[in-house]
Amino acid sequence: MPDFLQEAKELFPYTQALRRDFHMHPELGFRELRTGGIVAQELEALGIEVTKGVGKTGVVGLLEGGKPGPTLLLRFDMDALPIQEQTGAEYASQNQGIMHACGHDGHTAIGLTVAKILNAHRDQLAGTVKFCFQPSEEGTNGEEIGGAEMMMRDGLLDSPRVDMSLSLHLWNEKPLGWLGVTKGPVMAGAEEFKIKITGKGGHGAIPNVTIDPIVASAHIVTALQTIVARNVAPLDTAVVSVTKVNSGTAFNVIPQEAALEGTIRTFDNGVRQRVMERFEQIVRGTAQALGCQADVAMRRITPALVNNEVMTTKVQETARRLLSESGLDSGYQTMTAEDMAFMQEKVPGCYFFVGSNNQARHLDYGHHHPKFDFDEEALIHGSALMAAAAMDVLNTR
Ligand SMILES: [Zn+2]
Ligand SMILES: [Zn+2]
């Protein structure tokens, strides 16, 4: 077995240069033309067959191994966020109001590094590696679906048919050296809700002839807290967060309407059903009791991201061998969401986390923060583990 950690270390100047270039030139979802162009160019330079425009700005590269075997998809997301960067880094964003604040610049650089490493060992690969550079993971950015679904709609998982997948996220919630590789659900299924409460507006000093949607909204927000507290079993997991409340125009006017928005997160389908049922009942029932009309719109963002047992066991073994036992966390889960979940609904996969914060160097702001930045040594861990896991998954069956 090649020494992938050593190879990733040797390639670090390449990885870092790419990452910093992507960081300086971030692009929003479905606008990753410059990024995708560099990706295609780098893959083509290795002799890898490239298809552009898969899911609008997505790029796919096909690396055929020297021996027959299954097709393994390696997925890396490329999009940035609408955030004004405040890191002050020398490689800070040059695009006003756009920033790589989630680490996808690092993912893209890792993907190209992994392509270099695996290409050098292609004779030893028993199967085909399909490199997937995905647009718009952070949302739909004005389209009806996000990047993962857009690529799947364009046939990402067909010809050659994808048998399994690996993907990763640099993770600033955890320190450099930590690795999260967990079986079963690792990220939550997410829904977005929008509620409109309609009452009857009027004078703030004559409430008795009005129906106040603000009072009803306040009761609804409070009552929704009972779903997690009273309806979900204590050892099960769910989140119900109201994150936006909008109503009113003046201190002496009771408004006609109030709008609430927020998100629901769950790991388990049964729990999800129960939470959705109670949500409807509470919103409608509370509104009705207070004389208001409630309209509820619920949109599914992603299903839960569930890791395959067999593949995850292999990746855990690879991680132990490559980066020692001490940093491996095999029980980590988070309530954030990821559109890789759509692909893992179709093909077995393992999605793992690579610890990337460094408190001593103040590289520990959370994802999506304007000062987000990570310890670039994590790029070595990500590249090495992805390359080694890809070879292990293909060659040990
Ligand atoms: Zn993000
Ligand atoms: Zn992300």
Side-chain angles (χ1 to χ4, degrees):
M1 184 63 70
D3 186 348
F4 287 110
L5 189 57
Q6 186 54 36
E7 292 188 29
K9 277 180 190 162
E10 281 161 19
L11 282 170
F12 179 66
Y14 172 75
T15 321
Q16 184 187 43
L18 282 172
R19 183 263 161 161
R20 291 187 172 195
D21 178 66
F22 295 139
H23 195 88
M24 279 194 279
H25 305 100
E27 296 170 298
L28 294 176
F30 297 122
R31 311 276 189 279
E32 307 89 338
L33 286 167
R34 182 186 181 277
T35 310
I38 293 168
V39 166
Q41 204 181 323
E42 290 298 309
L43 293 175
E44 273 163 359
L46 297 172
I48 290 175
E49 182 193 327
V50 172
T51 312
K52 288 203 242 181
V54 182
K56 298 197 181 288
T57 42
V59 178
V60 176
L62 214 54
L63 175 68
E64 282 192 48
K67 303 171 208 168
T71 298
L72 169 67
L73 180 106
L74 304 184
R75 178 275 209 168
F76 308 92
D77 43 9
M78 305 189 288
D79 58 320
L81 287 153
I83 293 173
Q84 180 62 42
E85 178 157 353
Q86 291 174 15
T87 63
E90 62 193 67
Y91 47 85
S93 170
Q94 295 181 356
N95 295 349
Q96 185 70 18
I98 306 178
M99 177 190 177
H100 268 297
C102 200
H104 301 184
D105 49 344
H107 301 169
T108 310
I110 287 172
L112 292 173
T113 306
V114 171
K116 253 194 174 168
I117 296 174
L118 291 179
N119 187 58
H121 299 286
R122 65 193 301 169
D123 293 350
Q124 295 167 61
L125 283 175
T128 300
V129 179
K130 199 180 237 189
F131 289 94
C132 161
F133 289 87
Q134 185 202 300
S136 212
E137 186 279 328
E138 297 286 3
T140 57
N141 202 18
E143 304 294 333
E144 68 281 20
I145 49 177
E149 284 188 288
M150 196 71 87
M151 288 189 88
M152 288 164 75
R153 196 163 79 176
D154 278 0
L156 172 71
L157 301 180
D158 310 317
S159 60
R161 177 136 217 92
V162 172
D163 299 299
M164 47 201 178
S165 73
L166 289 173
S167 43
L168 56 67
H169 210 299
L170 293 168
W171 211 238
N172 250 29
E173 308 298 309
K174 296 287 179 180
L176 183 71
W178 176 93
L179 289 173
V181 191
T182 306
K183 293 173 195 172
V186 287
M187 280 177 140
E191 336 281 328
E192 176 190 14
F193 60 77
K194 291 185 179 179
I195 305 170
K196 192 171 96 179
I197 305 298
T198 309
K200 185 172 163 229
H203 200 293
I206 318 172
N208 51 301
V209 299
T210 73
I211 301 170
D212 189 344
I214 291 183
V215 171
S217 298
H219 277 277
I220 289 169
V221 173
T222 306
L224 286 175
Q225 308 310 310
T226 65
I227 299 176
V228 173
R230 304 287 91 180
N231 304 134
V232 174
L235 294 178
D236 285 337
T237 308
V239 176
V240 179
S241 288
V242 179
T243 56
K244 209 167 153 184
V245 179
N246 230 321
S247 186
T249 52
F251 86 99
N252 56 357
V253 176
I254 290 170
Q256 181 79 9
E257 280 175 11
L260 307 176
E261 291 182 28
T263 188
I264 293 173
R265 306 281 164 122
T266 51
F267 280 132
D268 175 84
N269 223 10
V271 174
R272 176 175 178 267
Q273 287 308 328
R274 177 80 177 131
V275 170
M276 304 281 266
E277 261 170 43
R278 287 301 294 148
F279 186 90
E280 282 280 331
Q281 289 165 351
I282 287 172
V283 173
R284 292 194 194 287
T286 309
Q288 195 191 20
L290 297 170
C292 290
Q293 158 87 33
D295 294 295
V296 182
M298 188 73 73
R299 187 175 74 87
R300 185 170 211 189
I301 300 170
T302 65
L305 178 68
V306 183
N307 276 347
N308 175 268
E309 291 262 337
V310 178
M311 286 194 68
T312 307
T313 304
K314 283 188 192 171
V315 178
Q316 287 171 344
E317 283 165 13
T318 310
R320 276 190 200 101
R321 194 188 69 229
L322 201 73
L323 297 158
S324 93
E325 181 79 51
S326 59
L328 179 64
D329 181 346
S330 51
Y332 184 75
Q333 294 175 304
T334 162
M335 295 310 278
T336 54
E338 197 5 293
D339 71 356
M340 189 60 203
F342 287 109
M343 296 197 209
Q344 286 191 207
E345 264 193 335
K346 302 281 180 207
V347 293
C350 176
Y351 185 102
F352 55 90
F353 301 89
V354 179
S356 57
N357 84 38
N358 185 333
Q359 286 187 338
R361 295 179 54 203
H362 308 293
L363 300 171
D364 58 348
Y365 287 95
H367 295 269
H368 297 198
H369 191 281
K371 289 186 178 173
F372 171 86
D373 199 359
F374 57 84
D375 190 324
E376 288 175 320
E377 214 182 310
L379 298 169
I380 298 175
H381 298 169
S383 305
L385 182 54
M386 185 58 93
M391 182 157 282
D392 285 350
V393 162
L394 285 176
N395 289 34
T396 58
R397 273 173 302 118

